[in-house]
Every structure is written in structure tokens, then in C-alpha cells.
Amino acid sequence: MSFFEWGRGGGLKAAGVSSFAEYVKRIATNDPSIRKADLELEGIGDDDAEQLADALERNTTLTRLCLYLNKIGNRGATKLAKRLKTNETL
């Protein structure tokens, strides 16, 4: 189970989604309404970060990603770093 916690950072609420999984799915499908992912203070852990990294592999619309003050450890950070190397818009 992830460390995801609701309502702390405002990024998900601002995007009008009801779950982190829905947000990640929208990122993976290049939803044009999500160009900036402000996910600070959302309680994102390694499992969530890995899901997000998988979505970034296919994303071409996101231009900003903020993950400040989350609970991402080495495992999640490593996968995100690998995906960010190949993402051409972030």
C-alpha cells in the first residue's frame, strides 16, 4: 500500500480528480489539461512514484513536475530519474 494521503498539496484537487491513480492515468494518456503537475505535500511514496514514472514514459504534454516534500525513497526516485532522462518535455 502506498503512503498517498488526500488533500494536502492541492494538485489533485486542482486537477479535478478523485484518486492518484486517475491522475496518473490522465498523465499517461497525455491529457492536455495537465501540463503542470504540482504534487507537493501529497504524501507520494515509492509505489506512487513508480506509477508516475511509468506514466511519464508515455507522456509528451507535461512541462513541469513538482514533487517537493513527499515520501519518495531511493526506489521511487531511481525509477523517476530513469524516466526523466528519456522524457523530452520535462
Side-chain angles (χ1 to χ4, degrees):
M1 177 165 229
S2 74
F3 290 105
F4 183 72
E5 298 172 18
W6 287 103
R8 295 186 59 199
L12 300 178
K13 286 183 180 180
V17 297
S18 59
S19 70
F20 183 75
E22 180 184 349
Y23 193 73
V24 169
K25 182 179 177 182
R26 287 175 58 185
I27 289 172
T29 58
N30 291 304
D31 184 329
S33 69
I34 302 177
R35 296 207 179 274
K36 299 175 184 177
D38 294 319
L39 298 170
E40 64 276 352
L41 289 168
E42 291 286 356
I44 295 170
D46 282 334
D47 293 341
D48 297 322
E50 288 184 328
Q51 291 173 20
L52 180 59
D54 289 339
L56 292 176
E57 183 176 24
R58 297 177 293 281
N59 182 274
T60 58
T61 57
L62 200 62
T63 59
R64 182 174 83 183
L65 175 63
C66 181
L67 296 168
Y68 184 65
L69 293 174
N70 279 289
K71 299 176 182 182
I72 300 170
N74 288 337
R75 181 172 47 99
T78 298
K79 190 162 185 180
L80 279 169
K82 286 178 183 178
R83 294 295 188 246
L84 289 172
K85 283 183 182 180
T86 60
N87 184 292
E88 296 180 9
T89 59
L90 284 171

